[in-house]
Amino acid sequence: MSNTDNGNVSLTLGDDGVATISFYHPAQNSLPASLLKELAEMITFAGVDSTSRVILLKSEGDRTFCAGASFDELLQIKDKQMGAEFFSGFANVINACRKSPKIIIARIQGKAVGGGVGLAAAADYCLATEAASIKLSELAIGIGPFVISPAVIRKIGLPAFSQLTIRAVDFQSAQWAQEKGLYNEVCVDIPTLDEAIASLTQKLASYHPEALVGLKQILWEGTENWDQLLLDRAAISGELVLSEFTQQALNGFLKK
């Protein structure tokens, strides 16, 4: 577990074969570089752990699932290298999900913004509540969802991604996200969500491990170039975040 002022990430290996990875940050479960690093490492570890059959990815609290990148940390980026390194954190998490031999189930209890949408898209199956609306706000702060776009487009297609990106200040409902393919199931509330997740993960954990590994490989066919692709995209975002437009926009959001 990482436990700092910047939040924490925990991994619990259950006797039932379910590895639960949970993250928390006081700023609406946003993701600074330290948490992104921990997430990638724990997803990778759970993937090779012999006692786990399925991975459950979740965040703490009952409101926001993930607010995406840490704005405070974005304002601390001073050069292209720092920018590329920060955004490569999201690339590493997505690639860890992609390359994990275990099926990853995401629990989306509340709103997902920016990188939070990318995190949901990197999972193999998403269960959400009706409160789990989504938004890609990157254009509104002068950058774009470049790193997460391959994962999001893979799930919802280019037309829906275009709508989500261009309407950068508007939330789309959980029902919209389900219709477009980001969410697989939408539950009325958190207790119902947790009941559905417990049932699904227990069933998956009882299935033949090699069959699950084979399924995972099929689900991610055609993404073998993502190691380099997502790092290239991180460099684009890392350069844009240095612009005066983006710096002013970030400061404006923080003052609200």
Side-chain angles (χ1 to χ4, degrees):
M1 173 183 288
S2 168
N3 209 341
T4 70
D5 291 340
N6 288 327
N8 62 74
V9 181
S10 66
L11 169 62
T12 303
L13 302 174
D15 295 334
D16 56 358
V18 180
T20 301
I21 298 172
S22 181
F23 65 93
Y24 166 76
H25 191 279
Q28 297 180 314
N29 288 327
S30 61
L31 291 170
S34 59
L35 293 196
L36 289 168
K37 183 175 184 292
E38 291 279 352
L39 269 178
E41 290 174 349
M42 291 190 183
I43 291 166
T44 299
F45 179 85
V48 299
D49 178 72
S50 61
T51 66
S52 63
R53 302 287 185 84
V54 61
I55 297 172
L56 174 61
L57 181 61
K58 57 177 287 190
S59 65
E60 299 299 322
D62 58 4
R63 295 178 64 84
T64 303
F65 166 69
C66 177
S70 166
F71 281 11
D72 287 331
E73 198 156 325
L74 288 178
L75 284 169
Q76 295 173 18
I77 295 172
K78 302 303 180 185
D79 55 50
K80 293 179 182 180
Q81 182 178 349
M82 286 181 64
E85 288 176 355
F86 175 81
F87 286 101
S88 70
F90 284 97
N92 292 336
V93 170
I94 292 172
N95 278 323
C97 291
R98 175 179 66 87
K99 293 189 285 188
S100 172
K102 309 291 173 59
I103 297 294
I104 298 176
I105 306 299
R107 174 188 182 269
I108 318 295
Q109 83 279 19
K111 291 180 177 179
V113 179
V117 177
L119 198 56
D124 300 300
Y125 198 91
C126 283
L127 294 91
T129 68
E130 293 179 350
S133 54
I134 64 173
K135 178 172 70 171
L136 290 182
S137 57
E138 284 85 348
L139 277 183
I141 59 171
I143 57 177
F146 301 116
V147 177
I148 66 171
S149 61
V152 179
I153 292 171
R154 171 180 166 270
K155 278 290 183 74
I156 70 175
L158 187 59
F161 173 78
S162 299
Q163 179 180 345
L164 199 58
T165 304
I166 290 171
R167 298 188 68 89
V169 298
D170 299 328
F171 276 99
Q172 304 298 327
S173 69
Q175 287 74 19
W176 186 93
Q178 183 180 27
E179 290 170 2
K180 303 304 181 185
L182 180 66
Y183 298 158
N184 301 97
E185 301 179 31
V186 174
C187 303
V188 295
D189 53 28
I190 291 177
T192 307
L193 172 68
D194 287 335
E195 183 178 343
I197 288 174
S199 175
L200 176 60
T201 54
Q202 288 167 14
K203 287 178 182 176
L204 284 173
S206 71
Y207 296 159
H208 195 308
E210 292 182 13
L212 291 173
V213 172
L215 173 61
K216 178 80 179 202
Q217 293 172 344
I218 291 172
L219 292 177
W220 288 90
E221 281 181 347
T223 63
E224 292 79 11
N225 66 327
W226 281 22
D227 280 334
Q228 188 60 49
L229 173 64
L230 299 193
L231 291 179
D232 291 343
R233 298 288 182 83
I236 296 172
S237 295
E239 184 171 353
L240 283 171
V241 77
L242 298 172
S243 70
E244 182 180 353
F245 182 101
T246 299
Q247 294 294 304
Q248 291 179 349
L250 289 168
N251 277 301
F253 272 96
L254 289 174
K255 289 176 182 177
K256 288 182 179 180

